[in-house]
């Protein structure tokens, strides 16, 4: 049992900024199914290991990484169409998403923070974040939602988290970011927030504390 809600020493923390995929919910498997389907159409096999590189990365950049794996090239217009196709499949899969996809402790921890008066924001690269929150029935637990459609610069740029702190009317230093990707940890560091890494320190250097899931903080 941690000594406080965050298990961190130091100054007061008034806000929590959550990444979505890999922190609150496992949507990576649906992204993988949709990217694998696109790769199959293009004539190559896309492995789960290949998919690791796409976590936390924007949709278009993910496509570029996938094309590298298959040694394929596309014009900018073809890339837009391919990314749209992948997204349509992904959204189809999202309609099967239910509360069972929440990672351990997610709902309980969010509720606990709210009860303690901590402000909560989402800071996700995903343009589908509002749909996902709605499917998981956790949208009402957030004071602010900053998703991929509200930012112009992807993580590791701090924009998504700075906007989250601003929406909560809090200084970055009094917010903690929960992240499972290296780009996200770098974004939080650049934004001046405290950082809790969801994963292992070897893969995610730079966090103050590491947890396997939010369940560890309950
Ligand atoms: P979309 P996060 C990220 O979510 C995913 O980890 C990443 O795989 C995905 O490409 C990105 O969102 C964009 O998602 O295609 O739905 O707009 O980890 O930032 O919550
Ligand atoms: Mg993530």
């Amino acid at each position: 049992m941690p000594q406080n809600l965050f298990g961190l020493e130091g100054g007061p923390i008034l806000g929590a900024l959550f990444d979505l995929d890999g922190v609150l919910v496992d949507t990576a498997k649906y992204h993988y199914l949709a990217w694998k389907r696109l790769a199959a159409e293009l004539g190559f096999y896309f492995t789960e290991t290949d998919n690791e590189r796409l976590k936390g990365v924007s949709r278009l950049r993910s496509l570029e990484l996938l094309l590298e794996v298959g040694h394929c090239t596309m014009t900018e217009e073809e890339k837009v169409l391919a990314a749209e196709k992948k997204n349509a499949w992904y959204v189809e899969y999202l309609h099967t998403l239910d509360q069972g996809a929440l990672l351990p402790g997610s709902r309980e921890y969010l509720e606990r923070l709210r009860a303690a008066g901590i402000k909560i924001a989402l800071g996700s690269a995903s343009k589908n974040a509002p749909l996902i929150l709605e499917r998981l029935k956790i949208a009402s637990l957030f004071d602010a939602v900053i998703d991929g459609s509200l930012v112009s610069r992807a993580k590791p740029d701090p924009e998504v988290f700075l906007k989250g702190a601003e929406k909560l009317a809090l200084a970055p230093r009094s917010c903690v970011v929960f992240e499972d990707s290296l780009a996200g940890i770098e974004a939080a560091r650049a934004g001046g927030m405290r950082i809790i890494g969801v994963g292992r320190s070897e893969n995610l250097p730079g966090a103050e504390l590491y947890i396997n899931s939010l369940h560890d903080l309950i």
Side-chain angles (χ1 to χ4, degrees):
M1 175 71 86
Q3 62 277 44
N4 60 42
L5 284 165
F6 302 103
L8 296 176
E9 307 288 340
I13 296 174
L14 307 173
L17 308 174
F18 288 91
D19 175 54
L20 182 61
D21 178 28
V23 172
L24 296 170
V25 61
D26 181 15
T27 34
K29 61 177 175 237
Y30 301 101
H31 281 295
Y32 173 57
L33 288 175
W35 285 127
K36 191 169 71 162
R37 195 162 155 186
L38 184 71
E41 267 204 10
L42 295 170
F44 64 95
Y45 188 74
F46 188 66
T47 68
E48 254 179 287
T49 311
D50 296 328
N51 192 59
E52 282 300 306
R53 292 176 66 204
L54 275 46
K55 288 186 178 173
V57 173
S58 75
R59 194 181 305 166
L60 217 50
R61 182 68 195 130
S62 297
L63 173 66
E64 286 166 356
L65 293 171
L66 177 124
L67 294 177
E68 266 176 44
V69 171
H71 305 287
C72 295
T73 52
M74 278 185 183
T75 64
E76 292 310 307
E77 293 76 38
E78 285 168 339
K79 282 184 195 170
V80 170
L81 289 176
E84 277 173 5
K85 191 180 230 184
K86 177 268 170 180
N87 190 56
W89 289 328
Y90 176 62
V91 169
E92 240 174 64
Y93 297 135
L94 287 183
H95 282 102
T96 68
L97 195 72
D98 61 20
Q99 296 179 61
L102 280 167
L103 289 167
S106 296
R107 174 186 299 282
E108 210 176 336
Y109 187 59
L110 290 169
E111 285 172 349
R112 198 166 281 203
L113 292 183
R114 273 193 90 76
I118 301 293
K119 295 279 172 224
I120 303 174
L122 190 82
S124 167
S126 176
K127 293 183 174 163
N128 295 299
L131 169 65
I132 297 168
L133 296 184
E134 189 196 306
R135 294 283 325 163
L136 298 172
K137 301 200 185 334
I138 55 171
S140 64
L141 296 173
F142 290 84
D143 298 293
V145 173
I146 312 296
D147 65 25
S149 61
L150 296 175
V151 293
S152 48
R153 295 181 301 277
K155 299 168 190 175
D157 189 285
E159 185 184 9
V160 68
F161 294 132
L162 288 173
K163 282 198 166 155
E166 195 186 319
K167 260 281 177 91
L168 298 180
L170 293 173
R173 199 62 202 155
S174 60
C175 295
V176 61
V177 166
F178 291 84
E179 255 295 348
D180 73 313
S181 75
L182 195 51
I185 299 246
E186 283 170 15
R189 189 168 43 217
M193 289 95 190
R194 314 282 300 269
I195 309 167
I196 295 182
V198 182
R200 300 168 67 88
S201 58
E202 309 88 272
N203 309 326
L204 295 175
E208 272 178 74
L209 174 75
Y210 293 90
I211 55 174
N212 291 314
S213 74
L214 295 170
H215 187 257
D216 294 354
L217 293 172
I218 291 172

